[in-house]
Amino acid sequence: MEAFQFDVPALPADALEAERRVREFLARERAAGTYQPHLSSWNTHDAEFSRRAGRAGLVAVGFPKEYGGQGWSMLARYVIAREMLANGAPCFAHWIAERQSGPQILRHGSERARKLILPKICAGECTFGIGMSEPDSGSDLAAVRTRAVRQGDDWVINGSKIWTSNAHNAHYLIALVRTSEADGKNRHVGLTQFVIDMAKPGVKVRPIYNLAGGHEFNEVHFNDYVVPDDMRVGELGAGWDMVTGELAFERSGPDRFLSDYRLMVELIDRVGTKPDAYQAVEIGRLVSHLSALTRMGTSIAGMLTAGKSPQVEAALLKDVGNVFERELPEVARRIAPVQPAPDDAGARYSETLSHIVQHAPSYTLRGGTREILRGVIARALGLR
Ligand SMILES: Cc1cc2nc3c(=O)[nH]c(=O)nc-3n(C[C@H](O)[C@H](O)[C@H](O)COP(=O)(O)OP(=O)(O)OC[C@H]3O[C@@H](n4cnc5c(N)ncnc54)[C@H](O)[C@@H]3O)c2cc1C
């Protein structure tokens, strides 16, 4: 059995510079009142905010300079993401592109795709969606049925994706599709990823409303959608490896434990400087958990900086991070009970708590469910 090692690296010079720049940027934004800090999660779409962050050199800083980035470490990217989340910044317009789709194209895309797309991501002008899940295939991605058939230099795609976050605002998405039959013994073969240009004909987006009535995710339907072969990501048939590599980026960031950060701040304000013994213990426990999660996140960013693919460590961080995110509103309800007030912007604590109670159930689903993550971890420990 192999133990997990979470060494925490010291922040390199580029990460310290990133921290200084992002704090300055956010202080300027707050002073100018150019964005409303959101109540939870990172999924507020504000294209203008993302452009300003791009102009300030705060998006995709890890990409090489030739593609518009700054060649900084993943630790610098991590620090920027952490500060954006802690300040409730509306990052969704560039979040998925810089977190996972861009890095995927940088590592495995064609030169044409890199030159076409990466500079737009760095400029904060490019929104991506994730085209993995299908109606009968969420946890079990090997079961995807969307199919691409070769036609000369192109591929023709037919099928549907579901739960595609922000597809209604996306310029592109990376879709996992079947390009040949699964081998009877190995269902993971025959899958391939393609970059989908959402402005081209043959792709339709339909909204799905979440339980709070919000429009965040969608159905995406392909009807004879034509994609050139140089928009393929990775080798033909290597989609399973591509997708698991992409999930390491998706699962490892501070977005997996800072979704509820505003509630933590509001809760501490609410309890005030004279907590009773129960409140003090519970808040102390939350703060120490958050501190451990931050150290794990920094450690994984260090692994990514070192060129590793920490898929299991990312699964572990997402699992314990999501447990924390689900627990926080429950602790808040116990130690500082309040009537729900979803639309009362004046009552910040109850407004935040109401919002998070409605959204928290999705945290352990998006990006892979808890059971699936625990399966990944158990396999790495040799337990299954
Ligand atoms: C807010 C939100 C945003 C999302 N955004 C996107 C997106 O942008 N792009 C995208 O592609 N998808 C997205 N998803 C979909 C998400 O990835 C899937 O919902 C998730 O992977 C689970 O798949 P499923 O819904 O098909 O459930 P299922 O896979 O059917 O699972 C149902 C239940 O069975 C359990 N289960 C399944 N298989 C096993 C197993 N082998 N062992 C033990 N238990 C198992 C699961 O843990 C779960 O509890 C999003 C989901 C949410 C909630």
Side-chain angles (χ1 to χ4, degrees), residues 130-133 137-139 162-165 217 362 365-369 371-372:
I130 304 167
M132 295 186 192
S133 305
S137 167
S139 304
I162 197 167
W163 314 125
T164 322
S165 299
F217 40 40
S362 71
L365 297 173
R366 61 184 187 185
T369 67
E371 292 75 17
I372 294 302

Side-chain angles (χ1 to χ4, degrees), residues 45-116:
H45 183 97
D46 180 342
E48 282 310 312
F49 176 87
S50 290
R51 273 201 194 96
R52 290 197 297 277
R55 277 202 297 275
L58 293 170
V59 180
V61 294
F63 293 5
K65 288 193 171 148
E66 60 182 304
Y67 299 117
Q70 303 183 50
W72 282 358
S73 65
M74 288 303 286
L75 281 155
R77 192 253 159 201
Y78 174 82
V79 164
I80 292 170
R82 187 195 68 198
E83 294 295 314
M84 292 276 190
L85 290 163
N87 285 279
C91 298
F92 207 22
H94 67 267
W95 200 250
I96 291 171
E98 83 134 4
R99 179 182 70 186
Q100 62 193 86
S101 317
Q104 194 71 346
I105 292 167
L106 180 64
R107 283 187 175 189
H108 306 291
S110 68
E111 192 51 27
R112 187 169 86 86
R114 287 193 201 122
K115 286 201 167 118
L116 177 71

Side-chain angles (χ1 to χ4, degrees), residues 99-161:
R99 179 182 70 186
Q100 62 193 86
S101 317
Q104 194 71 346
I105 292 167
L106 180 64
R107 283 187 175 189
H108 306 291
S110 68
E111 192 51 27
R112 187 169 86 86
R114 287 193 201 122
K115 286 201 167 118
L116 177 71
I117 296 170
L118 300 184
K120 293 193 265 192
I121 295 180
C122 296
E125 291 173 355
C126 190
T127 299
F128 261 81
I130 304 167
M132 295 186 192
S133 305
E134 295 191 4
D136 296 317
S137 167
S139 304
D140 183 16
L141 285 176
V144 300
R145 284 186 305 197
T146 297
R147 182 165 284 275
V149 177
R150 183 108 203 197
Q151 217 170 67
D153 289 339
D154 298 328
W155 293 85
V156 180
I157 300 184
N158 281 287
S160 299
K161 296 288 169 184

Side-chain angles (χ1 to χ4, degrees), residues 181-229:
E181 292 310 322
D183 173 330
K185 290 190 206 103
N186 183 0
R187 298 166 64 240
H188 297 158
V189 300
L191 296 164
T192 306
Q193 281 192 328
F194 289 97
V195 179
I196 305 297
D197 179 344
M198 301 297 278
K200 284 178 54 175
V203 58
K204 266 209 168 63
V205 176
R206 286 206 201 118
I208 306 175
Y209 294 93
N210 64 25
L211 69 79
H215 177 198
E216 285 172 8
F217 40 40
N218 303 275
E219 297 171 15
V220 177
H221 299 277
F222 299 101
N223 189 1
D224 288 338
Y225 176 89
V226 178
V227 59
D229 188 53

Side-chain angles (χ1 to χ4, degrees), residues 8-67:
V8 182
L11 288 186
D14 58 9
L16 295 171
E17 173 61 12
E19 190 172 61
R20 189 188 63 72
R21 275 200 213 172
V22 69
R23 285 182 177 168
E24 255 178 41
F25 171 77
L26 289 168
R28 263 200 320 274
E29 288 279 319
R30 277 197 311 271
T34 37
Y35 79 88
Q36 277 293 336
H38 51 71
L39 300 179
S40 76
S41 206
W42 62 91
N43 43 10
T44 303
H45 183 97
D46 180 342
E48 282 310 312
F49 176 87
S50 290
R51 273 201 194 96
R52 290 197 297 277
R55 277 202 297 275
L58 293 170
V59 180
V61 294
F63 293 5
K65 288 193 171 148
E66 60 182 304
Y67 299 117

